[in-house]
Amino acid sequence: MSNRTFTMIKPDAVKAGNIGNILQMINAGGFRIVAMKYLSLSKQQAEKFYEVHAARPFYGELTEFMSSGPIVAAILEKENAVADFRTLIGATNPAQAAEGTIRKKYAASIGENAVHGSDSDENAEIEGNFFFSGLERA
Ligand code: GDP
């Protein structure tokens, strides 16, 4: 089992001024920030990142949204990081997210849902490598 996961604070949460609140919840959840950057994705970069969802009906909407404004990308470390972070962020649809989760607090809809969290150790590695070089990890 790996002890790292990858997250993004999505454009909706950045626009709403919730970077600080979300980072606080991440820290309070016991995660250490290994790498972090603030940037905007182009439509093409968002399409590349979400390539696995290319066949899904919401792919256009998703990549449009993810390139609509700045995001915060980060690699996080904790024992059982992938599963524990999925618990901390809550269900994809905030209407179904548990009380006290990041999406319950800060997400507005299934599409604009405040945060990303990797769904497997393998994807955490791929996604972290998409954004960060070896030098950019502490
Ligand atoms: P996650 O692992 O909880 O992020 O969910 P998925 O892997 O199923 O979907 C990836 C991302 O696509 C989600 O976080 C949403 O931003 C977006 N998404 C998922 N389902 C929908 C949908 O029905 N409509 C739209 N517009 N976006 C969606």
Side-chain angles (χ1 to χ4, degrees):
M1 187 206 300
S2 150
N3 55 2
R4 289 189 176 188
T5 191
F6 171 79
T7 186
M8 291 181 286
I9 300 177
K10 296 185 178 184
D12 58 324
V14 172
K15 270 189 202 111
N18 286 324
I19 294 175
N21 292 328
I22 291 172
L23 288 178
Q24 181 151 19
M25 286 183 74
I26 289 172
N27 281 326
F31 294 85
R32 186 177 81 82
I33 294 166
V34 174
M36 184 159 70
K37 60 175 70 165
Y38 179 78
L39 77 165
S40 294
L41 291 174
S42 67
K43 180 79 155 59
Q44 260 188 334
Q45 289 168 328
E47 284 168 357
K48 179 83 185 140
F49 183 85
Y50 282 108
E51 213 165 37
V52 292
H53 291 312
R56 310 276 283 272
F58 56 80
Y59 183 62
E61 215 170 290
L62 171 61
T63 54
E64 198 63 52
F65 164 58
M66 287 303 296
S67 57
S68 68
I71 62 161
V72 174
I75 296 173
L76 306 175
E77 188 171 70
K78 181 186 184 294
E79 227 175 87
N80 200 31
V82 166
D84 286 2
F85 194 68
R86 300 282 295 187
T87 301
L88 180 66
I89 68 178
T92 308
N93 185 346
Q96 282 147 23
E99 283 302 328
T101 59
I102 294 175
R103 282 170 168 166
K104 181 72 180 185
K105 282 192 164 171
Y106 299 116
S109 68
I110 190 167
E112 306 204 356
N113 60 3
V115 278
H116 169 82
S118 304
D119 64 4
S120 65
D121 287 350
E122 189 194 1
N123 284 335
E125 178 76 17
I126 293 168
E127 292 168 0
N129 290 342
F130 184 89
F131 282 91
F132 298 100
S133 72
L135 265 180
E136 292 172 314
R137 300 168 202 217

